[in-house]
Amino acid sequence: MAKMNDVIIYVISDAAGDTGELVVRAAVAQFHPLHAEIRRAPFVTDIPTIERFVRLAKEAGAIVLYTLVIPHLREGLRKLAEQYEVTAIDLLGPLIESLERQTGRQSRHEPGLNHVLDEDYFRKVDAVEFAVRYDDAKDPSGVLKADIVLVGVSRTSKTPLSMYLAHQKYKVANIPLVPEIKPPQELFLVPHRKIIGLTIGVPYLNIIRKERLKALGLPNSASYAAEERIERELLYAESIMNQLGCVVIDVSHRAVEETASLIMEHIRAF
């Protein structure tokens, strides 16, 4: 269930829904630390299914974003959104119609054409599975197999960055740096050019952690969000990053996409 102040967004698609989810994440990043709960409705093929999800969106007070290339499904959703008074955003329809007018050609109206099962697609799937498997030091051996290793204190966007970079076909592992826990020995065997240290300003991290505690229903006076604790964690993380000899990026006030762009620029330089 979504927490207070969360935004719920239904992504309805006649394909996998990846395009819609990526657009939602890019938009929501502009409202950080606001959290969006994305509920996918993939491979929709009929109007009754669309109506069911529109009703659910109405009940949840959610926004609907849809990527439907089949005209009667697109039109059906538009009418249902009006009927149920749900905010619905057609991501592909206007562009498809504009392209038809501009080119004088009809769309093929075939869902999923951008997911042709080619080598790039399978590389992306492998990278996403890798990011999930080696997230948050679940298995430290992953750092030895990764294209990129992210290190940093809690709430420096390690997991969102891992997933974003995975969609760019990079295999990413991430390791949290906590003063009470010694980093895995494997981390010191990774070439420094593959490691990215993530740091953040104390006041900014203090706000993010307080919001996180609030979302969990915990008091924001917990030591997790205390400035003294944050300063100690960041100093510890800095000492580890110095040992690793890695590049360090300050993620304060940066969207995930911007940080990811800096990381990819660094990786491509080698």
Side-chain angles (χ1 to χ4, degrees), residues 43-140:
F43 305 111
V44 171
T45 58
D46 57 75
I47 298 297
T49 301
I50 288 175
E51 183 170 12
R52 178 164 62 87
F53 283 111
V54 170
R55 279 204 317 270
L56 289 171
K58 174 68 174 179
E59 291 166 8
I63 295 170
V64 170
L65 181 139
Y66 56 104
T67 56
L68 299 168
V69 300
I70 300 175
H72 81 273
L73 295 181
R74 199 161 65 231
E75 180 61 15
L77 197 153
R78 186 188 65 77
K79 289 179 178 177
L80 286 165
E82 287 181 2
Q83 177 185 331
Y84 286 95
E85 298 182 324
V86 169
T87 299
I89 300 158
D90 182 358
L91 185 61
L92 295 181
L95 181 56
I96 288 174
E97 290 164 5
S98 294
L99 287 170
E100 286 180 334
R101 286 193 300 270
Q102 183 75 15
T103 64
R105 300 177 62 178
Q106 285 293 304
S107 161
R108 292 167 64 177
H109 305 310
E110 294 179 31
L113 289 180
N114 60 327
H115 276 168
V116 176
L117 300 184
D118 57 12
E119 185 179 349
D120 271 0
Y121 179 76
F122 286 116
R123 280 179 59 204
K124 180 161 72 172
V125 170
D126 286 344
V128 170
E129 290 177 350
F130 188 97
V132 172
R133 188 179 308 122
Y134 298 112
D135 180 48
D136 208 29
K138 287 176 189 170
D139 181 353

Side-chain angles (χ1 to χ4, degrees), residues 3 5 209-220:
K3 302 175 182 69
N5 297 323
R209 288 192 174 182
K210 282 183 177 178
E211 287 295 325
R212 178 60 177 161
L213 289 170
K214 189 191 299 182
L216 294 172
L218 299 172
N220 62 17

Side-chain angles (χ1 to χ4, degrees), residues 25-251:
R25 292 194 184 282
V28 170
Q30 300 300 316
F31 298 88
H32 188 77
L34 180 74
H35 173 72
E37 180 180 331
I38 300 172
R39 300 179 181 177
R40 276 206 212 188
F43 305 111
V44 171
T45 58
D46 57 75
I47 298 297
T49 301
I50 288 175
E51 183 170 12
R52 178 164 62 87
F53 283 111
V54 170
R55 279 204 317 270
L56 289 171
K58 174 68 174 179
E59 291 166 8
I63 295 170
V64 170
L65 181 139
Y66 56 104
T67 56
L68 299 168
V69 300
I70 300 175
H72 81 273
L73 295 181
R74 199 161 65 231
E75 180 61 15
L77 197 153
R78 186 188 65 77
K79 289 179 178 177
L80 286 165
E82 287 181 2
Q83 177 185 331
Y84 286 95
E85 298 182 324
V86 169
T87 299
I89 300 158
D90 182 358
L91 185 61
L92 295 181
L95 181 56
I96 288 174
E97 290 164 5
S98 294
L99 287 170
E100 286 180 334
R101 286 193 300 270
Q102 183 75 15
T103 64
R105 300 177 62 178
Q106 285 293 304
S107 161
R108 292 167 64 177
H109 305 310
E110 294 179 31
L113 289 180
N114 60 327
H115 276 168
V116 176
L117 300 184
D118 57 12
E119 185 179 349
D120 271 0
Y121 179 76
F122 286 116
R123 280 179 59 204
K124 180 161 72 172
V125 170
D126 286 344
V128 170
E129 290 177 350
F130 188 97
V132 172
R133 188 179 308 122
Y134 298 112
D135 180 48
D136 208 29
K138 287 176 189 170
D139 181 353
S141 69
V143 300
L144 300 174
K145 310 168 193 172
D147 301 317
I148 301 170
V149 178
L150 304 178
V151 297
V153 301
S154 172
R155 313 310 291 179
T156 47
S157 299
K158 294 186 299 299
T159 297
L161 279 167
S162 295
M163 295 307 299
Y164 185 94
L165 290 165
H167 279 86
Q168 308 303 314
K169 300 181 284 293
Y170 289 98
K171 292 184 177 180
V172 185
N174 72 75
I175 302 289
L177 298 179
V178 185
E180 294 79 11
I181 302 174
K182 188 176 180 180
Q185 190 57 42
E186 292 92 338
L187 184 59
F188 297 91
L189 302 176
V190 178
H192 68 86
R193 61 180 177 79
K194 288 187 175 185
I195 305 174
I196 305 293
L198 303 174
T199 191
I200 191 170
V202 174
Y204 192 56
L205 185 54
N206 177 254
I207 292 169
I208 292 172
R209 288 192 174 182
K210 282 183 177 178
E211 287 295 325
R212 178 60 177 161
L213 289 170
K214 189 191 299 182
L216 294 172
L218 299 172
N220 62 17
S221 57
S223 63
Y224 176 70
E227 288 197 6
E228 183 181 344
R229 168 69 189 185
I230 290 171
E231 286 173 358
R232 187 159 71 89
E233 285 187 39
L234 289 171
L235 284 172
Y236 171 75
E238 183 182 359
S239 71
I240 297 298
M241 293 173 197
N242 286 338
Q243 290 179 51
L244 295 168
C246 64
V247 67
V248 179
I249 297 175
D250 189 334
V251 301

